[in-house]
Structure formats: structure tokens, C-alpha cells
Amino acid sequence: MEFEVSPYFLITTDAEKARLFYEEVFKATTVYLQRVKDRPKQAKIGISEDEYNRIDQSVLQFGDIKIMLADDTEGLPITEGNNISICLTFNTVEETKAVYDRMIEKGSSILKEFTDDFYTKGYGYVKDPFGVCFHLFTKRGA
């Protein structure tokens, strides 16, 4: 099984300011950026237009690693201080779901049920028994 590992910074205030800060301070490069306004129409229902520029997901290149950075647009159980987690990106939905299931079987807590959504065909968010949170994500197009 092959997959990518990325720190995931989920920002509770303003991910755009964080993105620009990391670009300036660390010379990071934004290699992917999706804003709330880029969502399909049905995924924007109930969201006010003043939130359309919030970051749904971005990938920044930091030297030889990538981080994922986003605003908390889904109301996940995040507070400042525990908002950095690990994102594992798998090639197939089946691989992603298998790891999600194994984590639950081994005592991890479900923070977001495994789902097929507009941003990926397979995603789940869990906290392992040691308090580490993992975003389990399937590559787009998989």
C-alpha cells in the first residue's frame, strides 16, 4: 500500500492569513488552493457569501514536505492548540476505508464518519487512542 503523509493545519480563525504568513516566513509555495466559493452549488447551501473566500483546502510545499492547510468550514471539534493533525492520502477509496475501519477497530474515536463528498470519494476523520487526529483522505480522481 502506497500513501502520502502530510501535517494538516486546521485553522479556526483565518487560514488565508496563515497561508500568506507561511509563504512569507518560510518561502512556502501554495501548490493547491480550493476556496468555499469553488464548491459545487449544493455544497454551498446555508453558507453566507461573506465566507466564500475561506479556504476549504490548500497544499503548501515546505522544503521537502507538503502541509495541508484549511479553515474549519465543517465545524469539526477543533480548538486552537490541537488543530494540527496528520493527513494520510491514499490512492483508492478501498485503501482509505480499510485504514479507517482498522483505526476504529483498534479504539480510535470517530470525529467525522467516513463519507463520499464533493472534495473526495472517501474521507474520514478520527482520533487515535493516544489523542492524535488523522484525516484519512482519498486522492482526487481515485
Side-chain angles (χ1 to χ4, degrees):
M1 172 172 34
E2 186 178 312
F3 57 93
E4 296 175 19
V5 178
S6 306
Y8 197 115
F9 293 33
L10 196 52
I11 306 299
T12 57
T13 51
D14 191 343
E16 178 65 10
K17 284 183 183 175
R19 184 181 73 81
L20 295 172
F21 175 85
Y22 297 139
E23 284 184 347
E24 183 177 340
V25 171
F26 299 112
K27 305 301 183 216
T29 304
T30 301
V31 295
Y32 177 79
L33 180 63
Q34 175 183 305
R35 297 189 184 277
V36 171
K37 67 183 176 187
D38 301 323
R39 290 180 178 187
K41 187 176 182 176
Q42 69 274 14
K44 292 188 274 192
I45 294 172
I47 298 174
S48 65
E49 285 190 29
D50 63 332
E51 294 189 31
Y52 276 19
N53 273 334
R54 293 188 77 191
I55 297 176
D56 254 346
Q57 186 178 73
S58 66
V59 177
L60 280 73
Q61 183 76 44
F62 268 68
D64 63 347
I65 70 161
K66 292 178 183 171
I67 69 159
M68 299 182 78
L69 173 73
D71 282 300
D72 177 17
T73 58
E74 297 189 30
L76 296 173
I78 301 295
T79 57
E80 287 184 20
N82 76 348
N83 55 326
I84 298 174
S85 54
I86 303 295
C87 182
L88 304 180
T89 301
F90 297 88
N91 290 323
T92 68
V93 173
E94 294 77 19
E95 289 173 329
T96 312
K97 180 71 163 90
V99 170
Y100 174 88
D101 290 342
R102 283 197 304 269
M103 290 192 75
I104 301 309
E105 288 169 13
K106 297 291 186 184
S108 296
S109 305
I110 298 171
L111 300 176
K112 182 169 178 166
E113 292 280 346
F114 194 84
T115 187
D116 171 352
D117 216 327
F118 68 92
Y119 49 87
T120 181
K121 295 294 181 192
Y123 169 78
Y125 183 45
V126 299
K127 180 167 55 171
D128 74 13
F130 313 102
V132 179
C133 296
F134 289 85
H135 297 267
L136 305 173
F137 188 84
T138 306
K139 281 186 180 176
R140 285 175 197 78

